[in-house]
Amino acid sequence: MQTTLYLIRHGQTKWNQEQRMQGWQNSDLTDVGKNQAILLGEKLEKEAIVFDAFYSSPSERALETRGLINQSLRFPEYEASGLQEINMGNWEGKTYDEIERIDKEEWQRFWDAPLSFQATNQGETFEALSLRSRESIQKMVELHQGQVIGMVSHRITIKTMVADLLGLAIEELDDVAPNSMTKIVLTDEQAILEVYSDTSHYE
């Protein structure tokens, strides 16, 4: 039996532009981010890609992205808290430069050696993120075996889920672009990465 996953990052936000960490806080989609989502919906319709279930993180930027993608497609919608971005604690709302100045060692670990990241920022470790996102995907796959599942999530969470499904280290993966789409096919034997961080709908 084959189950297909489409992992979609939310559209560009104001804090993305300002290079601020978002985590569990929210920043509104920019006009560019809204257009990215609309164009992705058009791509799905044109290519006749149909989601049997369309999940989203509970974050407002993810919900808005899903709504714009789905406005004419009408896929069944669900929320899953496991798709939320990694909790970045007291880093949230701060710029990259600000964080690097106050917490350089942890900042470097966050990007370059995630399994060594200690979450001294009062947020989550990558192990905690991996556990909750993996459990979330397992539940989705159990509920929708043999179907096509779409999910709108976040940069670090998507990288973590892809790494877990493929048995890779997260630092082996390239970045996940705003409103990009990643496709993974699950069979009884393996997970197959068919598309990674595709942005052809708006580039």
Side-chain angles (χ1 to χ4, degrees):
M1 184 177 294
Q2 178 174 298
T3 303
T4 304
L5 309 178
Y6 285 90
L7 286 68
I8 299 164
R9 185 181 171 190
H10 61 78
Q12 182 196 75
T13 69
K14 293 178 180 179
W15 281 8
N16 290 153
Q17 284 188 307
E18 297 171 3
Q19 292 196 316
R20 292 185 186 275
M21 297 298 263
Q22 296 182 113
W24 284 18
Q25 290 191 42
N26 191 63
S27 169
D28 293 336
L29 297 184
T30 62
D31 289 341
V32 169
K34 292 175 183 178
N35 191 52
Q36 289 169 342
I38 291 167
L39 291 173
L40 180 51
E42 292 174 358
K43 174 187 174 76
L44 295 174
E45 187 168 20
K46 181 179 179 181
E47 297 185 4
I49 297 170
V50 177
F51 298 158
D52 296 290
F54 199 6
Y55 283 84
S56 174
S57 153
S59 294
E60 291 177 23
R61 60 190 182 275
L63 291 168
E64 184 178 8
T65 298
R66 183 183 64 181
L68 291 166
I69 293 169
N70 202 31
Q71 57 188 344
S72 62
L73 299 171
R74 310 288 184 185
F75 300 143
E77 294 183 346
Y78 307 89
E79 281 186 37
S81 60
L83 297 179
Q84 200 160 8
E85 182 60 296
I86 188 169
N87 186 331
M88 297 175 187
N90 56 32
W91 286 2
E92 294 182 4
K94 291 184 173 65
T95 66
Y96 294 2
D97 288 343
E98 288 172 334
I99 297 166
E100 189 169 20
R101 280 199 302 271
I102 63 175
D103 210 351
K104 185 174 182 178
E105 188 174 343
E106 271 282 76
W107 179 247
Q108 290 177 337
R109 282 197 290 255
F110 184 86
W111 295 110
D112 300 330
L115 291 181
S116 299
F117 177 68
Q118 301 297 310
T120 57
N121 59 356
Q122 300 174 2
E124 282 182 294
T125 63
F126 280 79
E127 290 91 338
L129 171 62
S130 174
L131 177 62
R132 68 167 164 85
S133 60
R134 187 167 61 245
E135 287 178 347
S136 194
I137 283 189
Q138 287 172 347
K139 289 178 183 176
M140 291 179 205
V141 172
E142 288 171 6
L143 286 170
H144 307 285
Q145 286 188 28
Q147 297 183 336
V148 179
I149 307 168
M151 57 189 80
V152 179
S153 186
H154 306 265
R155 178 186 193 178
I156 304 299
T157 305
I158 290 173
K159 285 184 70 174
T160 298
M161 292 189 292
V162 172
D164 285 344
L165 287 166
L166 300 180
L168 300 173
I170 189 172
E171 55 266 36
E172 294 181 62
L173 296 171
D174 292 334
D175 203 4
V176 178
N179 201 230
S180 61
M181 186 165 67
T182 295
K183 179 183 179 183
I184 296 179
V185 176
L186 304 178
T187 69
D188 293 335
E189 293 82 24
Q190 60 183 331
I192 303 164
L193 179 65
E194 293 196 352
V195 177
Y196 185 74
S197 191
D198 176 43
T199 56
S200 59
H201 51 288
Y202 68 81
E203 287 189 338

